[in-house]
Amino acid sequence: MKTDVPVLFAEDVIARRVAELGREIGEALAGREVCVLGLMKGSLVFMADLVRRIPLDLTMHLVRVSSSRDKGQGRVLTEIVYTTNVPLDGRDLLLVDDIVDTGITLSYLLGHLYEHGASSVKVCALVDKPESRKIGVRPDWSAFTVEGAAAEGFLVGYGLDWMERFRGLPYIGSIPRPGAP
Ligand code: IMP
Ligand code: MG
């Protein structure tokens, strides 16, 4: 028995959208040696499905970023805490992200990847929440855009967690935002 989290995007809806994205990405990156870089852990399930729908010979890598709030100045400190041996120099990367929310994580990672010699970085996110953006970055592709009333909930499942729970749900569900009244 898993849980009874209300469904926002059902399994079949996700599967159709992932297949569509795979085709689009395959066309956009045709002829390149693509290195897929998954942002752990939230994008693991999405990445596993997506790579099987991209009709290109690609390599797979992982990166993990940790963000914490600096108590003194209130800044968000972002750092890379784990990465597989990613070949960056002159590479065409496809960064697979779970949720682009404030954009802080994505903007930090893009800066890092270009600084270390990536020749291009395309971004495919599972969910884009454009209304929460604090830094002006946007994914090249996103499976779903969540805005308005739907953005008030906290998304879980299909790799997304709340305190490490719910990652194994086969669909994307929405729970009341933790801490909301
Ligand atoms: P940001 O764009 O730097 O604010 O960070 C986005 C990260 O916040 C994502 O990678 C998620 O780990 C987390 N996140 C934001 N919104 C949600 C949500 O609704 N459910 C689960 N995780 C979320
Ligand atoms: Mg998370």
Side-chain angles (χ1 to χ4, degrees):
M1 187 66 179
K2 289 226 168 178
T3 62
D4 48 10
V5 174
V7 178
L8 185 62
F9 300 110
E11 275 189 85
D12 60 330
V13 173
I14 298 174
R16 274 199 299 276
R17 186 68 188 116
V18 169
E20 218 168 68
L21 282 175
R23 280 194 298 273
E24 282 179 28
I25 292 171
E27 280 170 24
L29 301 182
R32 307 213 209 160
E33 257 183 70
V34 179
C35 173
V36 178
L37 183 57
L39 185 50
M40 285 164 73
K41 298 180 238 175
S43 74
L44 287 178
V45 175
F46 177 44
M47 179 188 189
D49 282 346
L50 184 64
V51 289
R52 285 179 284 180
R53 296 299 190 157
I54 300 176
L56 300 175
D57 187 15
L58 42 79
T59 60
M60 283 170 70
H61 301 274
L62 294 168
V63 62
R64 178 138 208 224
V65 167
S66 140
S67 296
S68 54
R69 198 162 278 278
D70 167 15
K71 295 256 164 43
Q73 308 192 23
R75 287 176 311 171
V76 177
L77 303 174
T78 310
E79 59 176 343
I80 290 181
V81 291
Y82 169 82
T83 170
T84 52
N85 196 10
V86 191
L88 292 177
D89 212 20
R91 289 309 175 105
D92 293 310
L93 303 182
L94 175 67
L95 180 62
V96 180
D97 199 350
D98 59 349
I99 299 188
V100 185
D101 193 33
T102 62
I104 292 171
T105 313
L106 179 57
S107 123
Y108 167 80
L109 254 181
L110 286 172
H112 175 92
L113 297 171
Y114 280 120
E115 246 168 59
H116 288 79
S119 95
S120 74
V121 186
K122 295 285 184 198
V123 178
C124 180
L126 176 61
V127 173
D128 187 12
K129 290 184 178 175
E131 295 165 344
S132 317
R133 211 68 100 243
K134 290 193 176 146
I135 297 187
V137 283
R138 46 186 305 247
D140 297 277
W141 295 276
S142 54
F144 304 105
T145 299
V146 172
E147 47 199 349
E152 284 164 25
F154 193 80
L155 309 184
V156 294
Y158 197 66
L160 307 174
D161 75 306
W162 171 68
M163 306 237 315
E164 296 301 327
R165 291 183 58 200
F166 306 115
R167 290 196 199 273
L169 280 184
Y171 59 88
I172 298 175
S174 181
I175 59 175
R177 187 166 284 278

